[in-house]
């Protein structure tokens, strides 16, 4: 693995005046819902999963088909199968993302071509995507880094020219919009995460939203071994299995938490947006630091991460830590991991900022006073 210029400082405890980088948010109702579900017949995949899918789609993916799964990684793998990606096929993917976006291609033996980032957003750069896509490309994958949507109009133009689907990894972008359209109701496939520290958590969980309704039956089968559960539950238990499936379903225990999260979603996103807006205001014009992806008018940020590009990143990280504030890189360029081969040399924007970006605390436990304290420390210099 490539060397990094950072050192591991370990984690702070979420006590006293410590401000931790991530913390789960569990609505009280989630505890009640789970407890109620635990006393019913269904704790695995049952009626709560159906209800969660319906309510999720009504809110984030109107007219699209929702499929609740065990994680966003499951959702990504299913999306890649439904997009008919096979062994040796090529896909154009973001180099800068959670490794979960790209690891499922290894399950399938598909080949990834890494696209560079845009320096201002750290999202995939459509200019580079256009250069990489050719007749061998089966799909374009994008990730809305930190919760800010990618340039979907430009990506759509490329995808339509080649007649290939777009798969959006929206794990960080629940509640984001692009040209007034909800992320989740734009491309052929969109995936979401309910992992511990995402906007809404189900412990672990995910959702896939599918544009083409006719793929939903297949999606449901491959979510569960390849078995058609609807016919099984009608009493026919001897059905054949004609395709390989996985065990990627969500449980009713998880869905009960998800339902409570949906109820509080407005509160969650408005708090996150408020904290991000304070970072943007306080740090505007401060020399040596810039908030990533600020001031876009054509899209709404889901405010999952506040990332800054900072000179002398390590010194800033150390200074924050001396003031009991955690910060970190969170994700790394994926071509530094051995499983993806070797470091690519055609990613100049990634090269330019790989030692400069830093993620600051942004979650439900970060108060307005906390974020002002963090900005004050930063403004005092590092
Ligand atoms: C969290 C995350 C994932 C993985 O989600 P899981 O639900 O843990 O599988 C994938 N992609 C991105 C961009 C993420 O932030």
């Amino acid at each position: 693995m490539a060397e990094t210029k950072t050192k591991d400082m370990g984690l702070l405890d979420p006590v006293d005046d410590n401000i931790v980088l991530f913390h789960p948010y569990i609505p009280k109702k989630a505890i009640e819902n789970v407890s109620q579900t635990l006393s019913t017949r269904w704790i695995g995949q049952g009626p709560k999963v159906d209800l969660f899918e319906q309510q999720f789609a009504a809110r984030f993916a109107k007219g699209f088909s929702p499929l609740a799964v065990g994680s966003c990684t499951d959702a990504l793998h299913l999306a890649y199968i439904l997009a008919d990606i096979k062994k040796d096929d090529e896909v154009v993917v973001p180099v800068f993302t959670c490794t979960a976006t790209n690891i499922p291609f290894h399950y399938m033996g598909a080949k990834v071509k890494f696209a560079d980032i845009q320096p201002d957003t750290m999202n995939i750069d459509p200019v580079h995507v256009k250069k990489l896509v050719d007749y061998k490309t089966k799909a374009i994958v994008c990730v809305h880094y930190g919760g800010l949507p990618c340039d979907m109009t430009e990506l759509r133009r490329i995808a339509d020219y080649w007649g290939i689907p777009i798969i959006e990894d929206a794990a960080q972008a629940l509640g984001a919009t692009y040209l007034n359209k909800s992320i989740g109701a734009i491309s052929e496939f969109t995936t979401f995460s309910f992992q511990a520290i995402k906007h809404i958590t189900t412990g672990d969980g995910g959702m896939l939203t599918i544009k083409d309704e006719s793929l939903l039956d297949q999606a449901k089968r491959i979510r569960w071994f390849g078995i058609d559960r609807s016919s099984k539950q009608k009493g026919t238990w001897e059905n054949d299995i004609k395709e390989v499936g996985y065990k990627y379903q969500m449980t009713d225990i998880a869905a009960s938490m998800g339902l409570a999260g949906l109820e509080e979603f407005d509160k969650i996103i408005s708090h996150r947006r408020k904290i991000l807006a304070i970072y943007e205001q306080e740090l505007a014009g401060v020399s040596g630091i810039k908030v990533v992806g600020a001031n876009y008018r054509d899209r709404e940020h889901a405010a999952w991460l506040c990332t800054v590009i900072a000179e002398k990143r390590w010194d800033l990280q150390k200074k924050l830590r001396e003031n009991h504030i955690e910060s970190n890189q969170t994700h790394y360029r994926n071509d530094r991991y051995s499983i993806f081969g070797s470091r690519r040399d055609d990613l100049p924007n990634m090269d330019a900022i790989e030692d400069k970006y830093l993620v600051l605390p942004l979650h439900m436990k970060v108060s307005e006073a906390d974020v002002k304290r963090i900005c004050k420390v930063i403004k005092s210099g590092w």
Side-chain angles (χ1 to χ4, degrees), residues 69-76 96-102 142-146 169-173 191-198 203-207 304-305 330-331:
V69 288
S71 70
C72 183
T73 313
D74 296 350
L76 286 159
F96 183 66
T97 181
C98 173
T99 47
T101 315
N102 292 323
C142 66
V143 59
H144 307 301
Y145 175 68
D169 179 344
Q172 308 185 354
T191 69
F192 295 91
S193 173
F194 312 117
Q195 174 255 347
I197 54 171
K198 296 289 159 54
D204 257 320
M207 188 75 74
W304 191 65
L305 296 176
T330 310
H331 303 305

Side-chain angles (χ1 to χ4, degrees), residues 59-61 144-150 168 170-186 190 192 199 265 269 273 298-304:
R59 173 79 203 244
F60 301 109
H144 307 301
Y145 175 68
L148 182 78
C150 298
E168 298 177 41
Q172 308 185 354
L174 187 62
T177 64
Y178 181 82
L179 300 178
N180 296 319
K181 276 197 193 142
S182 183
I183 292 294
I186 297 177
T190 306
F192 295 91
H199 291 80
F265 186 70
I269 191 112
R273 283 183 175 145
D298 61 345
R299 62 200 80 177
E300 280 178 295
H301 207 302
W304 191 65

Side-chain angles (χ1 to χ4, degrees), residues 32 53 62 64 88 104 142 194 219 223 245 247 323 328 361:
E32 287 167 32
E53 285 174 341
K62 274 205 193 71
F64 283 57
D88 297 328
C142 66
F194 312 117
R223 174 173 65 175
K247 191 155 189 279
N323 287 276
N328 214 320

Side-chain angles (χ1 to χ4, degrees), residues 24 28 30 99 178 203 218 278 307 336 356 363:
K28 281 207 176 64
T99 47
Y178 181 82
Q218 184 195 356
I278 297 172
T307 305
R336 80 197 271 275
K356 294 188 174 165
H363 49 81

